[in-house]
Amino acid sequence: MRLVFLIGELHGGGAEGVVANLTGQLAHRGHRVTLITHLKGQVYKVSDLVNVEDARSWQYDTYQGALPIRIYKKAANRLLDFINIRRVIKKETPDVVISFLGNWLWQSILICRSNIPLISAHRNAMVSNHGKWNFLMKQIEYRLVYGVQVMSRYDKAWLRNRYKNIYPMPNPLRYEPISEDEYKMLFPKRRNILACGRLVPIKGFDKLIKAFAKIAERFPEWHVDICGADASSCNYSKDLKALVAEYGFENRIHFMGFHEDIDKIMREHSIFCLSSLHEGFPNVLSEAMANGMACVSFDIITGPSEIIVDGIDGLIVEDQNVDALAEGLSKLMENKEERYIMGLHAIENIKRFRNEKVVDKWENLFHHIIQEFSK
């Protein structure tokens, strides 16, 4: 098969990691895979087997000049995007085009039209607050593409009767689950709580800090580490650090920045906490389980309930309830044996999302789309 993927950039986000991994896996299986992206600030590595095209090798700086000049530059950049993407797609003649995150979805719609099946890969929960204008635009976009890939069965049910082709698809694990022997060797050395994600309000790290504050005195040897890139678009990281200072936890809550080798970090920690307001399919949660971490998560509408088996390989607590989160964390912090058993179960249960199984599903989906489109 000839496949073209589009994503705006390869910075340190979950969707970017999925694309880097998925394109490499498909190329390794012998498919002709092309990735159109913007390489400036690239974090995730892409397999040498993937044909990578930089759609923005040259662009106007839209932050300089008077307002009319900036508007002109933005319009010119969008036109350059269209020309570059059209050039690549025309050259590659793909069987299927997959647009992640919607960065270039409109350009792709205009280019593919009715000639090439175009899939919009949606990465957030459908119930999340998109804003009225954004929601309206998506209603239009989803009617113009061949199909929409969503993250969960809930999202598919939410979208039913609205669009023709809805494809639920979990994210593949970037890491192979560790072995039971490795888990037994690592477990005695593990300590502390870990959370991962960009430092933006949707990740709810303030609730984790508040929950930890409720139990910190009972567990003086426990610390919290938060891995994730700072977001220049908001002041959330400053708010978090101010909150940490307010509690006097500068020596117990640490901001570690972005780590591409997050699996190594996970193997050093004991408990993983997901405190998000909403997620599509939280990669870090399945990755933490693959590395044998006992996990505690809010019961947000989509994501954790399709990954964690509550009480068996992790804990799901009442959504956005800081007291419940504190209780879930303390339950695992004070019970070493329960942490051990949950981590062991997590390694086994998460294997259903192993790379080869999810890539099989993508392959089958592409074959199905090509067959249906040719009718």
Side-chain angles (χ1 to χ4, degrees):
M1 288 184 290
R2 301 176 71 89
L3 306 167
V4 168
F5 288 78
L6 297 100
I7 191 166
E9 56 194 23
L10 289 173
H11 294 181
E16 291 85 346
V18 168
V19 170
N21 176 43
L22 180 60
T23 53
Q25 293 292 326
L26 289 165
H28 183 73
R29 294 188 177 195
H31 303 294
R32 167 70 178 179
V33 181
T34 297
L35 174 60
I36 303 174
T37 187
H38 182 28
L39 295 177
K40 184 178 180 181
Q42 178 181 355
V43 170
Y44 290 108
K45 296 178 182 178
V46 181
S47 168
D48 293 337
L49 298 175
V50 177
N51 172 36
V52 180
E53 297 275 357
D54 190 350
R56 290 181 173 172
S57 55
W58 182 87
Q59 295 271 281
Y60 284 110
D61 181 355
T62 59
Y63 296 99
Q64 301 294 324
L67 180 60
I69 299 297
R70 296 202 304 272
I71 293 174
Y72 164 77
K73 288 179 177 179
K74 287 183 179 180
N77 284 349
R78 300 295 78 76
L79 178 60
L80 288 169
D81 288 343
F82 178 83
I83 292 171
N84 286 329
I85 294 168
R86 183 177 180 275
R87 171 184 58 81
V88 175
I89 290 178
K90 185 177 181 180
K91 178 183 71 173
E92 294 298 325
T93 60
D95 298 304
V96 184
V97 173
I98 310 94
S99 176
F100 272 73
L101 297 181
N103 302 91
W104 292 315
L105 185 56
W106 276 104
Q107 289 94 328
S108 303
I109 289 170
L110 293 173
I111 294 165
C112 294
R113 292 178 290 180
S114 60
N115 301 317
I116 305 170
L118 170 64
I119 305 302
S120 175
H122 191 89
R123 314 314 293 171
N124 293 321
M126 288 295 171
V127 295
S128 59
N129 183 16
H130 300 291
K132 291 183 178 179
W133 172 249
N134 187 266
F135 183 77
L136 176 62
M137 292 303 293
K138 289 190 181 302
Q139 303 301 301
I140 298 171
E141 292 168 352
Y142 292 165
R143 285 176 169 82
L144 295 175
V145 298
Y146 182 80
V148 180
Q149 182 261 313
V150 296
M151 302 301 301
S152 70
R153 296 186 298 273
Y154 180 95
D155 286 329
K156 181 178 180 180
W158 194 87
L159 284 175
R160 71 177 186 272
N161 300 327
R162 285 184 172 90
Y163 311 106
K164 184 171 62 174
N165 298 318
I166 310 297
Y167 309 113
M169 186 74 67
N171 286 336
L173 280 171
R174 283 193 296 159
Y175 311 115
E176 186 70 13
I178 63 175
S179 67
E180 184 175 340
D181 288 341
E182 186 177 6
Y183 177 71
K184 290 178 179 178
M185 180 187 69
L186 290 172
F187 185 81
K189 305 174 186 178
R190 291 183 159 189
R191 57 184 303 173
N192 297 328
I193 298 166
L194 179 68
C196 301
R198 289 176 299 122
L199 301 187
V200 291
I202 193 176
K203 297 301 180 181
F205 295 133
D206 55 306
K207 291 185 173 64
L208 168 58
I209 294 169
K210 292 174 182 177
F212 182 70
K214 290 179 177 292
I215 57 177
E217 189 174 346
R218 290 169 50 200
F219 303 98
E221 296 182 356
W222 284 77
H223 291 202
V224 174
D225 293 327
I226 299 175
C227 283
D230 198 352
S232 58
S233 59
C234 67
N235 293 317
Y236 188 59
S237 65
K238 294 181 181 178
D239 295 339
L240 292 176
K241 290 170 185 176
L243 186 61
V244 169
E246 181 182 332
Y247 286 119
F249 286 161
E250 291 92 340
N251 294 325
R252 297 188 65 184
I253 298 180
H254 312 103
F255 297 93
M256 302 177 65
F258 175 79
H259 285 261
E260 186 178 359
D261 57 345
I262 194 64
D263 57 325
K264 295 179 182 178
I265 304 295
M266 287 175 171
R267 294 176 194 183
E268 298 170 355
H269 288 76
S270 189
I271 298 172
F272 184 84
C273 180
L274 187 78
S275 55
S276 300
L277 278 68
H278 59 80
E279 293 275 356
F281 187 96
N283 299 327
V284 289
L285 185 56
S286 57
E287 290 165 1
M289 294 173 69
N291 283 288
M293 296 189 72
C295 298
V296 182
S297 172
F298 279 139
D299 190 16
I300 50 181
I301 292 177
T302 62
S305 61
E306 295 193 23
I307 300 174
I308 292 175
V309 182
D310 186 30
I312 303 298
D313 54 20
L315 298 177
I316 297 179
V317 302
E318 183 181 349
D319 190 17
Q320 306 309 309
N321 185 326
V322 172
D323 290 333
L325 185 62
E327 184 180 345
L329 290 170
S330 64
K331 182 179 180 180
L332 294 180
M333 291 162 74
E334 67 189 5
N335 194 325
K336 184 176 181 180
E337 183 179 356
E338 188 162 3
R339 289 201 310 272
Y340 178 83
I341 293 171
M342 281 192 173
L344 204 58
H345 286 160
I347 293 169
E348 185 60 35
N349 292 347
I350 207 65
K351 289 178 181 178
R352 66 193 188 278
F353 299 126
R354 291 171 79 168
N355 246 319
E356 61 269 22
K357 292 187 177 181
V358 178
V359 177
D360 283 346
K361 292 181 178 181
W362 275 104
E363 270 191 322
N364 292 336
L365 173 60
F366 292 143
H367 284 302
H368 171 75
I369 289 171
I370 293 167
Q371 184 178 17
E372 291 296 312
F373 190 77
S374 64
K375 290 182 178 179

